Amino acid sequence: MEQNSNKASQLRHSSARAITMEAIELQDPMSPQARWPVIGTSVSGIAAETWDAFHQQAERAGLTYREAIEVAVRDLAAAVRAGEAMTWPHATGGKKRPVQIHHEAHDEVKAVVALTKMRQNVVFLAAIERWMKKEESSD
């Protein structure tokens, strides 16, 4: 089995456009979770007001909070892969919040982190803000 440090070295020496989900295979087994394939993670640095606005927008769109997070993450990941220009927000120091997300959507977060070198909380914040702007413009 290839060591993680070798995988990281390969990613560092690859062009950003060449990195795909296939290139970022998880080598370490994840801890088993009863809700699999939905996993739990936590995100900090996002203001409570942003989370509240996101939750309300998801409700208006007829989506669960988890579904909205997954849609937002997948949309951001597709945009990053397509080379769209991104404005990366600054984390605001909000408290840690638990998030449930399908493991494949969480893999998308990890791919964006690898491609952009942004932190996970910045990726979630960018996805949330991007999704809310799209939803507001479609209302």
Side-chain angles (χ1 to χ4, degrees), residues 4 9 14-15 23 26 30 41 49 59 68 88 100 105 113 136:
N4 288 335
S9 176
S14 299
S15 74
L26 297 175
M30 295 180 67
T41 189
E49 298 80 23
E59 197 172 275
W88 296 102
Q100 288 187 359
V113 167
E136 288 170 2

Side-chain angles (χ1 to χ4, degrees), residues 10-23:
Q10 289 173 357
L11 291 175
R12 275 194 297 279
H13 300 309
S14 299
S15 74
R17 296 220 185 252
I19 298 175
T20 63
M21 283 305 299
E22 293 78 29

Side-chain angles (χ1 to χ4, degrees), residues 67-88:
E67 290 168 337
I69 288 263
E70 291 171 0
V71 169
V73 162
R74 288 186 175 119
D75 178 65
L76 178 72
V80 167
R81 284 195 185 95
E84 286 184 33
M86 292 289 148
T87 301
W88 296 102

Side-chain angles (χ1 to χ4, degrees), residues 96-113:
K96 183 165 59 169
R97 294 251 184 147
V99 174
Q100 288 187 359
I101 187 169
H102 193 280
H103 76 93
E104 290 173 353
H106 193 248
D107 287 346
E108 294 280 9
V109 171
K110 292 179 199 174
V112 173
V113 167

Side-chain angles (χ1 to χ4, degrees), residues 45-62:
I46 300 176
E49 298 80 23
T50 302
W51 284 117
D52 292 343
F54 181 69
H55 199 180
Q56 291 169 3
Q57 190 69 37
E59 197 172 275
R60 283 193 296 276

Side-chain angles (χ1 to χ4, degrees), residues 31-43:
S31 62
Q33 296 191 21
R35 296 176 303 273
W36 186 264
V38 175
I39 64 167
T41 189
S42 61
V43 180

